[in-house]
Amino acid sequence: MRIQLMLAAAMAVLPLSPARAVYSITIEAPGIQNSTARFATVGVESFNSRTAGTNQIFSSNFGGSAFNGTYSRVQVINADQFGGAGGSGRYVVQFGTPGFTLDLTSSRPGGVTYFGFWLSALDNGNTVRFFQNSTQLFTFDATVLRNFVNAQPNASAYRCNPNAPANRNCGEPYAFLNFYAHGGTSFDRIVFDQVTSGGYESDNHTVGRWLQPGGTWVPHGASVSPAGITPNAIPEPAAWMMLLAGFGLVGAISRRRTSAISV
């Protein structure tokens, strides 16, 4: 048991650079407009109490959570056929670039390891970028999500606004997305861009520290992988040295234990 604990400790100190940490993405079932993940702590910004208008700057504590965020260059509008979780209240939208930004902080150690949002009326130019300490971690664009949705046997269930009245804007997918950071990585800036014509509608921005993922896994498409999403964490050379040192320490403990037993 002591040897196992030492091995776990040796592996736990492996540093992962942001570009080599692991990120994963899931999509909720059709019509679900919030996350089904389990959290150590979580908060949600619904935008319903925000004033409608363009080019706004405001802060959010995500419903009194342990997280704080500052939105910049954001446009808030009333719910319509293109957006608004639940079919009422308000949501945010981005037209063109530069996009609006969300800068995140946390009163809890480890920062923000989860971000999710209700993405409605998907357009080809919808792009969201994730950062840590000014380093871009990865980019997620509409192509990956559209391909994933189209491959599902229930693909048609993602199309059309699921909120009443029925059968509105049925040419574009609606889905709640979950983004998870692994390996000690966290998010501190998120940027929403609309890189072609159209709009990037989102609502129910959810931040947290996740315990267990929810939803269905989205495969890492070709447009995602080059931006930093990898299926497995790969330690840097210095990390390998630390791991080998950890194994050496474990071996030394094992030898001492064997000697003690043989005496």
Side-chain angles (χ1 to χ4, degrees), residues 12-244:
V13 298
L14 290 176
L16 294 176
S17 67
R20 292 185 180 273
V22 180
Y23 315 97
S24 55
I25 306 162
T26 68
I27 183 173
E28 298 291 348
I32 301 298
Q33 298 172 53
N34 46 52
S35 181
T36 62
R38 289 179 54 203
F39 299 96
T41 182
V42 67
V44 180
E45 171 60 65
S46 67
F47 305 103
N48 292 337
S49 64
R50 304 297 173 183
T51 301
T54 62
N55 199 30
Q56 296 192 62
I57 299 175
F58 57 82
S59 296
S60 173
N61 61 11
F62 299 92
S65 72
F67 308 102
N68 285 282
T70 300
Y71 286 88
S72 301
R73 299 192 305 270
V74 68
Q75 180 172 350
V76 180
I77 64 177
N78 293 324
D80 55 21
Q81 70 269 32
F82 303 111
S88 61
R90 296 188 171 108
Y91 67 97
V92 292
V93 62
Q94 175 62 32
F95 299 104
T97 58
F100 75 80
T101 63
L102 169 59
D103 290 296
L104 295 165
T105 60
S106 173
S107 62
R108 298 287 185 89
V112 176
T113 61
Y114 167 89
F115 182 75
F117 64 96
W118 171 240
L119 192 167
S120 53
L122 178 74
D123 289 322
N124 286 333
N126 291 173
T127 303
V128 60
R129 294 178 287 149
F130 290 77
F131 295 78
Q132 182 190 51
N133 297 327
S134 300
T135 298
Q136 183 168 312
L137 302 175
F138 67 93
T139 299
F140 184 79
D141 64 32
T143 302
V144 178
L145 179 60
R146 191 180 296 277
N147 290 342
F148 175 74
V149 168
N150 289 340
Q152 303 308 304
N154 61 343
S156 61
Y158 282 100
R159 301 190 180 98
C160 301
N161 189 324
N163 301 305
N167 300 319
R168 292 187 300 166
N169 196 41
C170 290
E172 298 174 317
Y174 290 68
F176 193 97
L177 298 179
N178 304 292
F179 296 85
Y180 306 93
H182 305 254
T185 305
S186 60
F187 309 133
D188 59 18
R189 169 171 280 198
I190 300 167
V191 179
F192 287 80
D193 289 305
Q194 178 59 33
V195 298
T196 62
S197 61
Y200 198 162
E201 297 86 2
S202 64
D203 201 357
N204 280 359
H205 287 192
T206 307
V207 297
R209 291 192 59 79
W210 65 277
L211 293 175
Q212 181 176 327
T216 302
W217 295 101
V218 177
H220 301 319
S223 63
V224 176
S225 296
I229 297 180
T230 56
N232 295 292
I234 305 173
E236 300 284 359
W240 280 116
M241 293 301 293
M242 293 180 68
L243 179 58
L244 291 173

